[in-house]
Structures are given as structure tokens and as C-alpha cells.
Amino acid sequence: MKTSDFYYDLPQELIAQTPMEKRDGSRLMTLDRRTGETGHRHFYDLPSLLRPGDCLIMNDSRVLPARLLGRRLPGGGACEVLLLADKGEHVWECLVRPGRKLRAGARMNFGDGSLAAEVVREEADGNRLIRFEYEGIFLEVLERLGKMPLPPYIKEELQDQERYQTVYSKVPGSAAAPTAGLHFTPELLEEIKVRGVSLGYVTLHVGLGTFRPVKEEAVEDHAMHSEFCTVPEETAELVNRTKADGGRVICVGTTSCRTLESWAGEDGRMESRSGWTNIYLYPGCRFKVMDGLVTNFHLPESTLIMLVSAFAGREAVLAAYREAVKERYRFFSFGDAMFIS
């Protein structure tokens, strides 16, 4: 199977640059994975597509305002640091710009000077280990000085940083939003519960590897990035109970899907577990738990469109994407959604 098998042509103007005024006002394409039939609705129609006894599984990870704009010391030249992973003892693995100016020993400060940093080491892949110096709680410093690390295809400045968070985000740690969840409002979640649908939460901290293109010609040769995820006990019990009672397990986003499928047994039974996953789902893989998926429209030739194709069939997915282009849907992080069942 070739990576080029997952290409589709997307006009640039269909890449959403800003969020919708109302979260649940986005469009919602439906796709029946048995027949390939599609339909066109709005996201606020989702409750009517769910059944009593179903459960929705959502990723409650919260995006860190991990993009820091600062000055190099002593010269004062501009620099940018993007936090990737907490290594402990105030040290983070980071992406930096300009890389040629930020070698081991280089120093920086940010914002009002309350956050300083020093490059400890250069990694083989070009990332830097950086030690930060500050008073108080690092997350509070980030909330004050940091900016949202928007994907590279979004060129507009985000006016309200909370619009790149889901309304149920709780556990800080992601470098990018689990974007399928951006469409939900508290009112919509309440309507879903009133209809007899249970809500469950997992945590997967989304890494920037989610935007890394697949460069290998053969899909199978791609090395999947690792991300940390957790299935709490109550969520494992909810999934098992839903299955036993004949309900559907519907994942909100590919991150929720990857979390459940990582820790499910071969018989589909869930257990509470935490750890790193590099699960890679592409056509030919078997889904052990997921019965339905709420997801956004993904980049051509990405691991995410491969996952969706593994669930619903490559031909059906690409046909749905061509229809979405024809109907002028909005694509990617701030774009419209699909419900695949």
C-alpha cells in the first residue's frame, strides 16, 4: 500500500484559518461505513444521530500555551521556543528558532523577564534540551507568557486562546488540540446525556508528531511517533458495560480512538492503563473497540486519514472527502467534522 493512495486535492482556501463563531455551528458530514452513503448536517444535530445506550469517549487533554517568544542574551536577538516534552528538573525538550544561534550554553529570556532559559544540550534530531528558570508554578508562567502552538497551516493569529481548547479539557500536556472535540459546547454535551448517552474520558497528550508527514513510499514503512495516554478505571468500566449491553462505543477524535485501541485486549475488553503508545492504524488493521468516530477532515497522505480509511474503507473515505471539497466544507483543525458509523 502506497502513501500516495491517500492523496486528495484540496484547494488552499478550504483550510479553515479561524474557529466558527459558534462551536457547534460547524457542518457535519455523515458517512455510513457499510454502504458508503453520505449526508450533510450541522454539528448541533449530533445528538439525534446517537442512540440511548451509546457512549461517547473524549480526550480531556489540555493544550499547553507552549510557544514562547523571547530574546537571546546578551545580544537581544529574537528567538522562539516550542515546548515538546517535560524531562523533569525544569528541563524540557524543545524546538527552537533560530537553531544556528541557539547552541548549547545559549541563554534567553521571555516576556517580562520572569522566565529565563539556557540550552543544555543539542539532540541528534535537532531538538534542544532547555533548562528554565522561574519563580512559582511553571504552568502559571506559561499561561501568562505562552501562546498556543497552532498548526503550521494556520496563518491567522488566534484571538481567544480558549477556542483551541475543548470545553472539557482538564489535564495539561498537549502540544496540539484534539480537534474533533472543539465542536462541543456544554449545552450540547448535556443534551447528549439527556438522550441516554454516557460520556467517558481518556487522556492522550497530543504531540507535534501528529503533523509529521509520511515520507516513506510504503505506508507500512512509516515510524509512528509515541504519545502518553491513560484510560481511567471508570472509562474502562463504561466501555465494557456499553459493549455488554449492546451499545456503541463512539470515539471523539483519532486520539480517543488510538487510546482505546492501544489498551484493549484482543477480545475487545478494556482495562485501566497508562503508558506510551505508538499504535499505527491503517487499512488492514482490526478495530477491537470502536464502533463509531467523530472526526475532522485530515491532511492528505497523513496517518490520520489512514486511520479513518482503516475504519471506513479507503475508497469510501476519499469519495467523502471529494464530496466535502465539492460542497466547500472547511478542513483541518478549525474546520468541519464527520460522523462515521
Side-chain angles (χ1 to χ4, degrees):
M1 192 180 308
K2 294 183 178 180
T3 299
S4 58
D5 292 336
F6 299 89
Y7 178 80
Y8 66 94
D9 191 33
L10 179 68
Q12 285 290 114
E13 67 268 18
L14 295 185
I15 301 175
Q17 294 295 310
T18 55
M20 292 285 290
E21 182 179 351
K22 294 183 178 180
R23 287 179 182 261
D24 62 357
S26 56
R27 297 170 75 184
L28 179 68
M29 175 182 280
T30 57
L31 172 62
D32 187 321
R33 63 194 183 109
R34 292 159 302 194
T35 66
E37 183 180 354
T38 56
H40 304 283
R41 297 174 179 254
H42 287 88
F43 202 84
Y44 51 70
D45 295 320
L46 180 65
S48 67
L49 302 173
L50 305 176
R51 306 170 191 155
D54 288 346
C55 72
L56 274 187
I57 303 299
M58 295 170 282
N59 180 8
D60 64 7
S61 182
R62 188 168 174 81
V63 186
L64 293 171
R67 182 170 169 246
L68 291 164
L69 305 177
R71 294 286 171 182
R72 306 192 306 273
L73 300 176
C79 64
E80 180 176 338
V81 170
L82 185 62
L83 306 177
L84 298 180
D86 185 357
K87 298 297 185 179
E89 303 296 324
H90 296 194
V91 174
W92 284 71
E93 183 177 355
C94 304
L95 293 172
V96 301
R97 286 196 300 186
R100 67 186 185 281
K101 299 281 190 179
L102 294 171
R103 307 293 188 185
R107 292 189 58 81
M108 300 158 277
N109 68 13
F110 303 92
D112 53 10
S114 61
L115 179 63
E118 180 178 347
V119 179
V120 176
R121 189 172 76 228
E122 297 178 48
E123 300 290 77
D125 58 5
N127 294 351
R128 306 292 196 268
L129 292 185
I130 295 178
R131 179 177 291 109
F132 290 93
E133 303 161 13
Y134 54 90
E135 292 185 2
I137 299 171
F138 189 55
L139 287 179
E140 292 180 358
V141 175
L142 275 187
E143 290 288 345
R144 191 173 73 251
L145 301 180
K147 295 179 176 291
M148 283 297 163
L150 295 178
Y153 49 75
I154 293 179
K155 310 301 181 185
E156 296 274 343
E157 190 76 20
L158 184 61
Q159 299 303 313
D160 177 5
Q161 300 213 105
E162 279 301 308
R163 290 308 306 272
Y164 198 56
Q165 305 279 14
T166 64
V167 296
Y168 48 79
S169 65
K170 185 171 66 174
V171 186
S174 279
T179 54
L182 296 179
H183 305 280
F184 287 90
T185 65
E187 295 78 14
L188 193 67
L189 291 171
E190 189 59 36
E191 182 181 349
I192 288 169
K193 287 194 290 184
V194 166
R195 287 176 177 260
V197 177
S198 299
L199 306 181
Y201 298 91
V202 297
T203 304
L204 182 141
H205 293 314
V206 187
L208 289 180
T210 192
F211 300 117
R212 187 156 61 93
V214 178
K215 296 181 179 178
E216 291 76 11
E217 183 177 350
V219 166
E220 298 85 350
D221 293 340
H222 176 69
M224 193 70 175
H225 60 286
S226 293
E227 293 164 316
F228 191 82
C229 62
T230 299
V231 177
E233 184 68 43
E234 59 268 27
T235 301
E237 291 175 357
L238 171 61
V239 169
N240 292 335
R241 187 168 63 250
T242 300
K243 287 287 193 181
D245 293 344
R248 298 178 300 174
V249 174
I250 297 167
C251 292
V252 175
T254 57
T255 59
S256 298
C257 165
R258 293 180 66 240
T259 302
L260 291 190
E261 296 294 332
S262 291
W263 304 142
E266 285 303 313
D267 60 356
R269 186 163 181 82
M270 288 301 309
E271 293 185 8
S272 174
R273 189 170 167 188
S274 294
W276 292 88
T277 181
N278 63 350
I279 190 171
Y280 182 22
L281 297 167
Y282 53 85
C285 296
R286 181 174 71 90
F287 289 81
K288 296 172 285 188
V289 180
M290 185 171 72
D291 301 305
L293 177 65
V294 177
T295 186
N296 280 18
F297 292 91
H298 303 294
L299 277 73
E301 301 183 335
S302 65
T303 61
L304 303 181
I305 195 172
M306 292 173 189
L307 184 156
V308 174
S309 297
F311 185 60
R314 185 183 72 89
E315 292 80 6
V317 167
L318 290 178
Y321 272 55
R322 288 193 294 270
E323 184 175 348
V325 169
K326 180 182 175 184
E327 296 295 328
R328 310 296 289 176
Y329 274 67
R330 289 156 46 94
F331 278 68
F332 306 163
S333 293
F334 286 140
D336 297 315
M338 297 181 76
F339 175 48
I340 305 172
S341 62

